[in-house]
Structure formats: structure tokens, C-alpha cells
Amino acid sequence: MASPSNTTMEDLKTLILAVDSKVNKFNEKLDTIENKFSNLVQEVKQDVKQVKLEVSETGQALKELRQDHDELQRGVEAMELNVQSLEVEKFESMRQSFETDMKNLKEKQLLLEKHDRKYNALVYGMPEKSDENIWKVIDDLMINYLKMEKPKAESFPFANAHRIPARQNSGEKKRPNPIIIRFIHYADKELFLSHGSHLAGKNIRIVDDLPPCMKEARNELAKIAYKIRSDEKLKTRIRHLGVTVILETRTSSRDQWHIRKQFCCC
């Protein structure tokens, strides 16, 4: 009976050792798997950390990129404002240059027209008849009104003379049409005008022929001059320099002339 028991014990011992060996192998495998899993977890954690770092760096890069974009946008807006300012300045400069050129051109045109009228004189207020002889009217003006010597008056060579239609105000007594006289010699015209002082107190006046805008300025100044003579008892004269018509006053012949008002006709 002892012999079978020993065999059984040996078998059991062998079985236990075999089981223990398998358990050890299983434990070894489990440790290996655990180590691998642990390593995997560490790798995943490392990858997650790396991803977070990359995300953080990407966010910072995006922030810097946004700042660069904003700075670039502000720079573009500033450049646009500068361009607009330059365009406005350029346009303003061109406009001023154009206005200056136009003013200079108008002034030259006026001076040419004034020069063309240089030999002309206008006579306002000389009595008019329907069947008059214009040359006899001029002789009458020079001899009886301007007090020029008859031989001198009759020696003046004229290029032309005629009346020009005057603008009549409605309801007003018809005024004589002005006479325009064109002299051949400028000195003769100046002598003719120099006798204008003999017309003081009469409704006749003799003046230079001027371009229309300068005539209008002279007429306006003549109204002002009349009021000054009436209210302030000053002496007045109207002269023209270039394209400017000037009203001057003084208290007596011993005083200097002073500019009272002037109109620039361009």
C-alpha cells in the first residue's frame, strides 16, 4: 500500500511544480504585457504632452501671425491715407495751377483788348440829333466844350468816329448815345482827354475806351466818387493800371492822391 501512495505524492508534486511553472510563465508574460502597457501609456502621455506643446506653439504662432496681420492692416490703412492725402494735395496743386493759368490768360486777354482800344476815347452826354454830322458834333465838342483852339481841333486826324447804342433804363429819359472816337496818334488822344477839366459842371464826360469788365468797374467807382465828392467834399479821380481800375481822393491840389477803392478785373 505504501508504494502507490508515494507514486501519488510524486505525481501530485510533479503536477504542482508544473502548475507553478505555468503560473510563473503566466506571471512573466503578465509582467511583460504590463511593462509594454506601461511603456505604451508613457509613450501616449509623452505624445499627448508633445501635442499640447505643439498646439501651444501653434497658438502662439497664430497670435503672432494675427498681430502681424493687424500691424500690416494698419500699415496699409496708413498708406491709403497717405496716398489719398497726396492725391488731394496733387489735385489741389493742379487746381491752383489751373486757376493761376486761367487768371494769367484772362489778364493777357484783357491787356491785349485794352491795348487794341488804346487809341479810342468815349464821349458821354453829348447832345444828339437824328440828322447830325458826327464830325461837326466832334468839332463842336472840342471848340465849344473842351475850349481847344479851332485850328488845332480841325487838324486832328481821326481814324473813325460814330455813336454806339447805349443801354436805356425803362422809365428814364432817353440819354444821348455815346460817341466813340478812334485817333490815329496816341498823343492827340491824350491831349483831347487832358481838356476834360473844362467839362466840370456839365453832363458831358470824356474817358478812355476800356474792355467791358473794366468799363463796369469804372462806372461803379464813378458812382462812389460822386457820393464822396458830395458827402466828403473831396476831389476824386479814376485811373487804370494794368487790369486794375483805381479810385483815388485828395483834399486839394496840394495833397497827394490816396487810393480809396480799386477793382481788379481778372
Side-chain angles (χ1 to χ4, degrees), residues 186-226:
Y186 182 74
D188 291 341
K189 189 197 89 165
E190 289 294 288
L191 178 61
F192 175 81
L193 293 176
S194 69
H195 282 72
S197 58
H198 294 287
L199 299 175
K202 298 180 177 63
N203 291 325
I204 300 173
R205 64 190 180 101
I206 55 177
V207 293
D208 281 309
D209 183 26
L210 296 173
C213 62
M214 295 185 72
K215 283 182 187 176
E216 292 177 6
R218 182 173 61 192
N219 290 339
E220 288 299 316
L221 290 178
K223 296 175 184 177
I224 298 172
Y226 177 78

Side-chain angles (χ1 to χ4, degrees), residues 16 24 27 49 140 178 206 264:
I16 290 172
N24 288 334
N27 286 335
K49 184 177 180 180
D140 182 34
I206 55 177
C264 182

Side-chain angles (χ1 to χ4, degrees), residues 152-170:
K152 182 63 178 176
E154 292 178 347
S155 69
F156 273 25
F158 298 108
N160 195 7
H162 61 87
R163 290 194 183 264
I164 52 178
R167 186 171 53 192
Q168 303 288 341
N169 296 325
S170 60

Side-chain angles (χ1 to χ4, degrees), residues 93-109 266:
S93 176
M94 291 175 62
R95 184 187 66 80
Q96 291 179 358
S97 177
F98 176 75
E99 289 181 352
T100 300
D101 291 343
M102 288 297 294
K103 182 178 179 181
N104 292 337
L105 182 62
K106 183 179 178 181
E107 183 175 352
K108 289 179 181 178
Q109 182 181 357
C266 68

Side-chain angles (χ1 to χ4, degrees), residues 246-259:
I246 306 166
L247 169 61
E248 296 177 331
T249 62
R250 66 181 181 181
T251 55
S252 69
S253 59
R254 295 188 302 273
D255 297 328
Q256 292 184 341
W257 290 103
H258 301 283
I259 295 176

Side-chain angles (χ1 to χ4, degrees), residues 135-148:
W135 302 114
K136 289 184 178 180
V137 173
I138 293 173
D139 284 344
D140 182 34
L141 169 66
M142 290 193 293
I143 296 169
N144 297 319
Y145 289 90
L146 299 180
K147 307 303 180 184
M148 297 178 67

